[in-house]
Amino acid sequence: MIDKNIIELINKEIDKTISPDEKEKLNQYLEENPDANVLFTELLKTEHMLDKMEDKTPSPNLKERILNAIDYNLYSNKKMNWKITGYLASIFSGSRTKYAVSFALGMIAGLIILTVVFYNSTFQNELENYNTSGTIGLHKSGIVQTVDILSEDISGRVDVSKVNNFYGFDIKLNSQDKYRLLIEFDSANLSLDNFSLNDLNSVSLEKGPDYVQISGSQDLDYFLSFSAKASTSEKFILKILKENREVFKREVFVSKN
């Protein structure tokens, strides 16, 4: 085996960068080691052959010709497909599958929680802003009085309910002609709290200091609620007018108990 330091000295000798002391050391080693001497001879012959070769300057457009000759379609798609396949395989293999599924489930759960929190917060704000908590209870409470309406071409019913300081009127009427429903009340203690239309027909609502009037026609289903300053017995007057004629009138007395 030839010492690597001697190989380095052989290269220096061929390159003519060897110092006198290194040259003496190399010559002594070559005399004592035939294998090193054969290597030195072969490398020296190779160097002489290279020196005799003429320098060839490549064509200026050689690089462009080589690049144009390459069919990149043979490599890009396969490489990209391999990367995608490898990436997907790495996600859905081993422990990564567990982490990926856990992360996805965590994201879904987080979105559900945020939605519920946002909905509850928004809904609570709506209740506070419009004071509809009493009207929700009115829908769930027992009806304290029912007024049946059958007059000329108008038919229907009004269900009256009461919860604490809230009074509700669930109104369902049918008429082929236009009509106006008028509810009169004592504005000293009562005020209109909420109005909701339960069908797709349009109505017009008019509010006064001591009355509320709804104008419409055909099948109408809507709900009115009133809030009271104090829990008292209240009297409401229901009127139905066609054009300017009063075709129905009924007093509704709701006890505070």
Side-chain angles (χ1 to χ4, degrees), residues 18 22 161 243:
I18 194 170
E22 291 174 335
S161 54
E243 296 180 348

Side-chain angles (χ1 to χ4, degrees), residues 10-67:
I10 290 175
N11 291 326
K12 285 187 175 183
E13 172 66 17
I14 294 174
D15 294 337
K16 302 184 183 326
T17 59
I18 194 170
S19 67
D21 292 338
E22 291 174 335
K23 185 175 180 61
E24 183 179 353
K25 180 179 179 181
L26 175 62
N27 291 336
Q28 183 179 353
Y29 189 88
L30 293 176
E31 290 177 1
E32 298 174 354
N33 193 318
D35 293 335
N37 195 21
V38 172
L39 176 63
F40 175 71
T41 301
E42 293 297 329
L43 291 176
L44 195 59
K45 288 180 181 180
T46 303
E47 177 67 17
H48 289 162
M49 290 176 61
L50 293 174
D51 289 340
K52 292 179 180 180
M53 293 179 62
E54 295 182 4
D55 293 334
K56 296 291 184 179
T57 303
S59 172
N61 61 348
L62 177 62
K63 179 179 179 182
E64 182 178 354
R65 289 168 56 191
I66 293 174
L67 294 176

